[in-house]
Amino acid sequence: MEIVKILNKSTFDNPTYATEHSSGVDLKAFIDEPINLKPLERKLIPTGLFIELPIGIEAQIRPRSGMALKKGLSILNTPGTIDSDYRGEIGVIVVNLSNDIVTIEPGERICQMVFTRYEKVSFENVNKISETDRGAGGFGSTGHK
Ligand SMILES: O=c1ccn([C@H]2C[C@H](O)[C@@H](COP(=O)(O)OP(=O)(O)OP(=O)(O)O)O2)c(=O)[nH]1
């Protein structure tokens, strides 16, 4: 199991940073006052968390299905990428996709963060790439059913 170092400046209950579940952790809004989002409004919400990821591991910020279904709250850039060399505070770009004002409360779990391994690649410049059956077909080329 990889170790992720975590610096926690949030002051919420213990564990202050998150609720752990099988595939990752939920992150809480590190805010003093409730924040309102108008329909289609987006805001960067601080978490009070700073992490040091092992090389080869990235963290992804994803919406919570309950927040999406009940409030219409999503993450605008999902899945948000936390790079292994990033040392700033983790921020969450929430967006209100409902027709109503959505309120985020201090300490509310607003998203989930999962960890994935990524491959490092290098590029080789060529004049031709291999042919396949699919070729350039994409964007729905195989139909609906
Ligand atoms: O939801 C997010 C997405 C990103 N970040 C932080 C960590 C990440 O490592 C850094 C850069 O993110 P990204 O590469 O998505 O942003 P960019 O727009 O390409 O900015 P940059 O030029 O800083 O790479 O911002 C967050 O805190 N939350």
Side-chain angles (χ1 to χ4, degrees):
M1 190 183 289
E2 298 278 3
I3 303 292
V4 174
K5 294 180 183 167
I6 185 158
L7 176 65
N8 178 20
K9 295 195 174 167
S10 110
T11 47
F12 295 122
D13 53 326
N14 198 8
T16 49
Y17 52 89
T19 306
E20 290 188 47
H21 50 76
S22 56
S23 53
V25 291
D26 287 346
L27 302 186
K28 296 178 179 179
F30 182 44
I31 49 179
D32 295 331
E33 303 286 334
I35 286 180
N36 287 328
L37 291 165
K38 295 193 278 281
L40 292 182
E41 191 176 13
R42 62 183 183 269
K43 278 188 181 160
L44 180 64
I45 308 294
T47 61
L49 299 180
F50 301 71
I51 58 175
E52 183 176 330
L53 290 162
I55 304 283
I57 302 281
E58 64 151 332
Q60 295 182 353
I61 306 290
R62 301 182 187 173
R64 296 183 66 211
S65 62
M67 301 280 281
L69 184 61
K70 291 177 191 152
K71 292 180 152 191
L73 191 80
S74 192
I75 308 298
L76 188 56
N77 58 328
T78 185
T81 302
I82 310 298
D83 298 286
S84 59
D85 59 350
Y86 179 68
R87 295 294 178 268
E89 180 174 2
I90 295 175
V92 181
I93 306 169
V94 294
V95 61
N96 176 6
L97 298 181
S98 79
N99 292 320
D100 308 307
I101 288 179
V102 166
T103 303
I104 297 174
E105 301 290 343
E108 190 168 353
R109 287 182 283 142
I110 50 172
C111 68
Q112 51 194 321
M113 181 167 70
V114 301
F115 302 91
T116 61
R117 195 169 288 284
Y118 61 86
E119 295 294 331
K120 279 207 123 179
V121 300
S122 59
F123 291 105
E124 178 187 352
N125 286 315
V126 295
N127 293 321
K128 191 174 186 312
I129 54 175
S130 67
E131 290 175 13
T132 66
D133 287 343
R134 172 180 287 273
F139 312 102
S141 65
T142 59
H144 293 294
K145 290 188 175 172

